[in-house]
Amino acid sequence: MYSYIGKTCPYCGKVITQYDEAVICNVCGIPHHKNCWITYSGCTTPGCAQNMMEKYSAAQSTVQNAQGYTACSACGTVNAPGVAFCTMCGAAITGQPSKQYYTIAQQQKQAYIQQYGEAPAEKEKPQYYTIAQQQKQEYIAQHGAQPENTEKPKYYTVAQQQKQAYIAQQQQAYAAQQQALAQQYAAQQQALAQQQAENPQQ
């Protein structure tokens, strides 16, 4: 009895019977239908060295590596020489140096290091002050002490400004009304006093 009978052909997925002609791969030992083996031109087992796709991939990889092509380790896409990131998934290509971007100041620093073999002396960064901060610094330099805390300015939106103006207007109107009432009362009191002075018996 042949050992391959009852086993499944990996190419067509059908069971190999005693009536089928079969070919057994001399590398992985997996049996195939003879016609499946001929149709595929070899073993169809994934990972087997006799697998034609594996042979083709290995040969293609050898040619591509010789020409500078690099396969992405993330998705397997073969990328052209000099590509730093995979054109399919965007992952960094292994073996490709990462790009470095420098500002003008950094470029000047790198040129200085290459020329003199050491980094240039660090310069003190300029300090920027608002007018209030400048005045505070001048006060400290003149008096040797911190100035007393002053009330911070208040900032309002347009609606808040209009509200503040309305409140001030109402307060002014109320004050004017109270002043008018006070003057009227004072005039009445003065008239009453004058009347009593003219008619003391009343």
Side-chain angles (χ1 to χ4, degrees):
M1 182 68 65
Y2 295 107
S3 60
Y4 59 79
I5 295 176
K7 294 186 178 181
T8 303
C9 175
Y11 182 74
C12 66
K14 296 180 180 179
V15 176
I16 302 173
T17 68
Q18 59 182 344
Y19 303 105
D20 296 324
E21 292 185 280
V23 176
I24 299 176
C25 178
N26 60 355
V27 175
C28 65
I30 301 298
H32 295 66
H33 289 110
K34 183 178 180 179
N35 291 336
C36 294
W37 182 279
I38 294 172
T39 301
Y40 190 77
S41 299
C43 181
T44 63
T45 305
C48 179
Q50 287 291 344
N51 189 313
M52 290 303 297
M53 291 301 296
E54 297 291 337
K55 291 181 179 180
Y56 175 76
S57 297
Q60 186 182 31
S61 177
T62 302
V63 173
Q64 289 173 346
N65 288 337
Q67 295 177 348
Y69 287 82
T70 307
C72 175
S73 58
C75 67
T77 302
V78 177
N79 294 271
V83 176
F85 299 94
C86 179
T87 56
M88 179 60 68
C89 68
I93 302 298
T94 306
Q96 294 289 343
S98 59
K99 294 183 179 179
Q100 293 180 333
Y101 301 92
Y102 297 99
T103 62
I104 295 177
Q106 289 173 329
Q107 292 176 0
Q108 293 174 344
K109 182 178 181 180
Q110 292 296 326
Y112 185 95
I113 293 174
Q114 292 178 358
Q115 183 176 359
Y116 298 101
E118 60 180 1
E122 294 291 337
K123 297 181 179 179
E124 184 179 357
K125 295 182 179 180
Q127 294 179 336
Y128 302 94
Y129 298 98
T130 62
I131 295 176
Q133 289 174 329
Q134 290 177 358
Q135 293 175 345
K136 182 178 179 180
Q137 293 296 327
E138 292 174 357
Y139 184 93
I140 294 174
Q142 183 177 359
H143 299 88
Q146 295 278 351
E148 296 181 1
N149 292 330
T150 56
E151 185 179 358
K152 295 182 179 180
K154 295 181 180 179
Y155 302 95
Y156 298 98
T157 62
V158 175
Q160 289 174 328
Q161 291 176 358
Q162 292 174 346
K163 182 178 179 180
Q164 293 296 327
Y166 178 82
I167 293 174
Q169 184 178 3
Q170 293 297 318
Q171 289 176 345
Q172 290 177 358
Y174 179 77
Q177 183 180 7
Q178 292 297 319
Q179 185 178 3
L181 290 175
Q183 291 176 352
Q184 183 179 2
Y185 178 78
Q188 289 177 354
Q189 291 296 323
Q190 184 178 2
L192 181 60
Q194 184 177 0
Q195 185 178 4
Q196 290 178 353
E198 293 177 353
N199 301 299
Q201 295 179 354
Q202 293 183 358

